[in-house]
Amino acid sequence: MSICPKGKISKARRDKRRANWKMTAPNLVKCSKCGELMMPHRVCKNCGAYNKKEIVAVD
């Protein structure tokens, strides 16, 4: 049995596949308690609150 060549993939076809692989800016929302910008569905790093309730005690 011999090897099975994969075939030549052109540069255009390769680059088309890589065209959608890009970075996006993180989505930020205002904290409902302190107003600081934070990532959604996470505890606020500034005040330690989530959904207007204190979850983590911040010094």
Side-chain angles (χ1 to χ4, degrees):
M1 295 192 35
S2 63
I3 61 169
C4 183
K6 293 180 180 175
K8 180 170 170 70
I9 295 175
S10 67
K11 292 173 191 149
R13 191 174 282 253
R14 177 199 67 197
D15 294 343
K16 269 189 238 174
R17 185 177 65 245
R18 293 178 181 168
N20 295 314
W21 194 82
K22 53 188 167 279
M23 293 190 65
T24 56
N27 186 27
L28 298 174
V29 296
K30 284 188 178 178
C31 175
S32 56
K33 194 170 180 185
C34 68
E36 186 81 14
L37 286 177
M38 58 176 252
M39 291 185 75
H41 305 288
R42 283 167 180 78
V43 175
C44 178
K45 292 181 180 177
N46 188 45
C47 65
Y50 180 77
N51 202 15
K52 297 184 183 177
K53 297 177 192 141
E54 188 176 338
I55 305 296
V56 180
V58 179
D59 294 335

